[in-house]
Amino acid sequence: QVQLVESGGGSVQAGGSLRLSCVASGSILRVNKMEWYRQPPGTEREWTWYHQAPGTERELVATIHSTGTTTYAESVKGRFTVSSENGKKTVNLQMIKLKPEDSGVYVCRADVGLLVDGAPAVGLYWGNGTLVTVSS
């Protein structure tokens, strides 16, 4: 139905920059909003959408709505910028002045309208994430 693929993660030193991208594909009629979350590295396999064990929670980092409105976690304001392109099916996260506490697996989530068996529906979809490591 809908697939999300993230890219752009890597290892940088504190103060460095990275640009993440997430591309959505599938039977998407419209994109309502797209979000970036992050979770502690090494916990990806423990996370499920219906239950998050302590220490595996995903933190909402940035959101971009279909209107273009953006919101950010307090910890990243002024350092991260979220943007979209490709008819809103691609969301980017420009990260500057990175800190060690920014390290984690960055996961994209899409809130979309789509076709399911020819009928309109809405759904939330997650990507698999891309790892960001910031060393001090």
Side-chain angles (χ1 to χ4, degrees), residues 2 42 48 69 72 75 78 107 119-121:
V2 176
T48 60
T69 301
Y72 299 92
S75 61
V107 187

Side-chain angles (χ1 to χ4, degrees), residues 60-76:
L60 178 58
V61 174
T63 300
I64 183 163
H65 296 264
S66 59
T67 58
T69 301
T70 58
T71 57
Y72 299 92
E74 282 296 324
S75 61
V76 307

Side-chain angles (χ1 to χ4, degrees), residues 16-93:
S17 302
L18 283 173
R19 180 179 174 89
L20 309 182
S21 291
C22 171
V23 179
S25 62
S27 304
I28 298 171
L29 295 178
R30 70 181 183 279
V31 175
N32 299 317
K33 65 179 176 181
M34 293 186 77
E35 300 169 309
W36 283 101
Y37 286 76
R38 68 185 174 198
Q39 69 181 98
T43 65
E44 305 89 277
R45 294 185 179 183
E46 301 172 48
W47 187 92
T48 60
W49 65 268
Y50 53 87
H51 174 71
Q52 294 85 55
T56 69
E57 298 87 350
R58 290 180 173 175
E59 173 194 11
L60 178 58
V61 174
T63 300
I64 183 163
H65 296 264
S66 59
T67 58
T69 301
T70 58
T71 57
Y72 299 92
E74 282 296 324
S75 61
V76 307
K77 280 183 180 178
R79 300 187 299 118
F80 290 13
T81 303
V82 62
S83 61
S84 64
E85 58 183 297
N86 187 28
K88 302 182 178 68
K89 293 181 182 180
T90 296
V91 61
N92 303 306
L93 187 67

Side-chain angles (χ1 to χ4, degrees), residues 108-119:
C108 175
R109 187 175 87 160
D111 177 343
V112 301
L114 70 160
L115 285 175
V116 178
D117 295 331

